[in-house]
Amino acid sequence: MSWWQTAVFYQIYPRSFLDTDGDGVGDLEGIRRQLDHLVWLGVDALWISPFFRSPMKDCGYDVSDYCDVDPLFGTLADFDRLLAEAHARGLRVIIDWVPNHTSDQHPWFREARASRRSRKRDWYVWRDGSPDRPPNNWRAAFPKGPAWTWDEATGQWYLHLFLPEQPDLNWANPEVVAAMHDTLRFWLDRGVDGFRMDVIHCIGKDPALPDVPAERAIIPACALNDVESTHGLLRDIRRVLDAYPGERVMVGEVGVPWTEIVARYYGNGDELHLAFNFPPIFAPWDAVVWRAQVERAAAELDPRGAWPTWALSNHDNRRHRTRYGSEARARAAAVLMLGLRGSPFLYAGEEIGLEDAVVPAARVLDPGGRDGCRAPIPWEAGPTHGWRTADPWLPWPPDAQRRNVAALRDDPASILHLYRRLIKARRASPALQEGSFARLDSPAGVLAWERAFAGDRRIVLVNFTGEPAVLALPGAWNVEIASDGRGEAAPFSGSLRPDAALVLRPAREPE
Ligand code: GLC
């Protein structure tokens, strides 16, 4: 097994984690100061969303210098210190690499835009046409509208799958490939353990840039783009990482809503190590839907030897606590995610059961409508919640006086302690970390499965309904973890409480 298969990953959105310099925006030093807390929680690896130089039109996913830290977050020296202190605690660190597009303020784009004869013109995707008719029917992800902007000064269109301030790089140009490989080496040389690769399935484009079929034309092009050339580009990127010692990992955001397409980006063990699979993130709290997601992932990934990932929340979607509607369900979902076969990715704040913030119209910042899930983490009660200011860049999430890290650390019955126990149980169990997965018969509304590895066995039961459920299991089992914390270490009674989940271990361990 590789470290990235057994690791529990923890996503940090740096703007929202912890502010130490009083500007209302989190920073790298804020992450460093919480490393001991993350070790206490038990996670193995951090994924830090972008902290590179950026005009912040898309909160840092619009990079103007891949090889420097934005002053908002600190300095390169701060990053080096953070990385060294994380490594000293046994935590791995992966960073966010944004290869599909740069900021329009990146020197490459400024040079490209300056003239049609610019040496860097072909580093981006330009097309002739008339200002009233974009070159094809592709939609941008946000704001609503075409994925093209007319550049008045040079009389051509340029492509942007996201904001007009995020022009797409032209990965068909070998100079772009070489320059972007260098940005990877910059961070690999500093010692990062790998990358989360932003919309990685978009870097290859069909050179003809054909229209998408009319019935799909309202879907953003970034959710549809899937061309063969990306796989070759990924294999080359993989070779860059593989030249370094220590199993540097590529975790790709393959943002298409079809697991069978996601699976292809693992290649034959020579492309991504891990890919995010979005359909489960969009799944409602429903046993039938989740069963289909779990079986789908196995059917598509297992034959390739591809290792699944599981996430319930991230910085682009409503938190699962908010989507599922109760803390009981959020707790049961944590048992589900940490009990499945694959690498779990937690999103900072889910371990304290945060809900999305309610962001009044006057404070909306994100053109993609994603502010709610990006609200700052409350570390303690009191007006500043452990930050340097009571008034951070986004409003606090609901109930922060009560629902904050310090208060929940003091309460052994809290969701935070549930996450900690779950992560610890996972780490101690080869079955949960790397074991096989076999679904067990269960009543409607309940998902049940067994994990096994070399004599180690666990059963996971998740009740998706608001009613108690009864379930007969062969053999004698004890409750190892209960999502509501009740009855742990006692024999399994055969019944499951509403919206609750259990991890069971054999009552008698094998000799
Ligand atoms: C990814 C990121 C998202 C960003 C987009 C453009 O989907 O997760 O936050 O807006 O790419 O970079």
Side-chain angles (χ1 to χ4, degrees):
M1 281 312 246
S2 297
W3 71 265
W4 43 268
Q5 292 176 292
T6 52
V8 173
F9 287 82
Y10 183 91
Q11 181 194 356
I12 292 177
Y13 198 63
R15 299 179 77 89
S16 304
F17 201 62
L18 176 60
D19 170 30
T20 61
D21 62 6
D23 63 2
V25 174
D27 41 50
L28 295 178
E29 172 62 10
I31 302 173
R32 191 191 69 78
R33 289 194 196 167
Q34 294 298 346
L35 289 175
D36 286 331
H37 171 70
L38 298 172
V39 169
W40 174 87
L41 179 61
V43 298
D44 303 285
L46 312 181
W47 148 28
I48 309 179
S49 284
F51 49 80
F52 317 104
R53 277 194 189 265
S54 166
M56 303 289 166
K57 299 287 184 203
D58 187 16
C59 286
Y61 283 94
D62 49 323
V63 179
S64 57
D65 184 349
Y66 289 97
C67 300
D68 201 3
V69 173
D70 195 278
L72 195 60
F73 298 118
T75 63
L76 268 177
D78 291 333
F79 179 79
D80 290 341
R81 184 168 177 209
L82 167 60
L83 185 65
E85 294 196 16
H87 282 167
R89 287 165 175 78
L91 289 169
R92 313 242 184 188
V93 177
I94 70 171
I95 64 172
D96 218 310
W97 184 59
V98 189
N100 178 66
H101 43 266
T102 67
S103 160
D104 65 341
Q105 298 307 309
H106 195 294
W108 299 341
F109 188 70
R110 291 165 74 115
E111 190 179 335
R113 192 176 203 169
S115 128
R116 286 195 184 209
R117 285 180 307 280
S118 158
R119 278 181 47 250
K120 292 224 165 45
R121 186 71 170 181
D122 184 51
W123 282 40
Y124 293 84
V125 183
W126 298 92
R127 286 293 182 274
D128 290 329
S130 66
D132 53 348
R133 194 153 174 274
N136 68 18
N137 67 353
W138 293 10
R139 312 296 292 175
F142 41 78
K144 282 194 175 55
W148 295 92
T149 288
W150 176 254
D151 184 56
E152 196 58 53
T154 58
Q156 276 189 316
W157 293 92
Y158 68 85
L159 178 67
H160 51 86
L161 297 187
F162 295 89
L163 293 172
E165 293 88 351
Q166 293 169 295
D168 278 42
L169 282 164
N170 175 18
W171 277 78
N173 181 331
E175 290 177 6
V176 168
V177 174
M180 290 304 288
H181 285 185
D182 282 346
T183 67
L184 291 169
R185 292 191 189 97
F186 178 85
W187 294 102
L188 290 164
D189 288 339
R190 296 192 106 80
V192 300
D193 298 290
F195 303 89
R196 177 267 188 185
M197 301 188 162
D198 191 63
V199 289
I200 192 69
H201 63 295
C202 289
I203 59 177
K205 308 267 181 350
D206 183 331
L209 299 175
D211 276 347
V212 298
E215 68 277 12
R216 287 189 166 183
I218 50 155
I219 302 175
C222 66
L224 299 171
N225 194 75
D226 173 43
V227 301
E228 196 48 41
S229 61
T230 301
H231 298 283
L233 295 169
L234 276 173
R235 289 190 288 273
D236 291 343
I237 293 167
R238 175 71 176 259
R239 277 192 280 274
V240 172
L241 271 76
D242 283 350
Y244 285 78
E247 284 198 283
R248 314 293 174 104
V249 70
M250 289 164 67
V251 185
E253 183 198 22
V254 181
V256 296
W258 301 283
T259 302
E260 62 270 30
I261 293 184
V262 172
R264 289 192 219 137
Y265 288 81
Y266 287 81
N268 294 311
D270 53 358
E271 297 183 27
L272 297 174
H273 298 89
L274 295 172
F276 289 121
N277 181 31
F278 281 93
I281 296 187
F282 304 134
W285 186 243
D286 181 293
V288 174
V289 180
W290 266 98
R291 176 179 162 180
Q293 293 300 345
V294 169
E295 290 182 345
R296 192 62 194 253
E300 300 296 344
L301 299 179
D302 289 358
R304 293 179 166 266
W307 189 248
T309 62
W310 300 100
L312 296 165
S313 293
N314 63 29
H315 65 294
D316 289 331
N317 295 287
R318 288 188 307 143
R319 287 181 176 277
H320 67 276
R321 164 74 180 81
T322 299
R323 286 185 289 115
Y324 293 163
S326 73
E327 181 176 311
R329 290 178 177 181
R331 284 172 174 249
V335 175
L336 164 81
M337 176 173 54
L338 285 146
L340 286 171
R341 182 169 178 275
S343 299
F345 282 74
L346 317 186
Y347 176 48
E350 72 174 72
E351 74 279 18
I352 56 169
L354 283 189
E355 287 188 73
D356 283 14
V358 178
V359 182
R363 292 194 67 179
V364 167
L365 295 173
D366 177 44
R370 300 162 294 182
D371 291 320
C373 62
R374 299 174 176 180
I377 305 287
W379 290 93
E380 52 190 54
T384 68
H385 295 300
W387 287 48
R388 284 282 300 278
T389 162
D391 190 26
W393 72 291
L394 283 174
W396 299 105
D399 208 13
Q401 276 312 329
R402 206 182 52 85
R403 191 174 288 285
N404 58 68
V405 176
L408 271 51
R409 262 185 86 144
D410 284 347
D411 174 6
S414 69
I415 186 171
L416 176 59
H417 279 267
L418 168 68
Y419 268 88
R420 184 170 187 245
R421 289 198 306 281
L422 265 173
I423 294 169
K424 198 171 171 195
R426 198 176 188 280
R427 188 178 271 179
S429 163
L432 287 178
Q433 276 197 320
E434 54 186 297
S436 57
F437 172 95
R439 210 175 52 72
L440 303 175
D441 284 341
S442 56
V446 173
L447 260 191
W449 64 90
E450 179 169 346
R451 309 281 316 276
F453 184 87
D456 186 43
R457 295 164 70 201
R458 292 292 184 277
I459 284 179
V460 183
L461 307 173
V462 184
N463 182 0
F464 288 81
T465 75
E467 306 295 326
V470 177
L471 195 111
L473 292 173
W477 296 84
N478 286 342
V479 175
E480 181 172 25
I481 303 285
S483 61
D484 57 8
R486 288 160 58 193
E488 288 182 1
F492 173 55
S493 66
S495 80
L496 263 171
R497 289 179 289 278
D499 286 324
L502 301 174
V503 178
L504 308 179
R505 60 188 300 167
R508 276 174 300 282
E509 298 294 346
E511 301 292 302

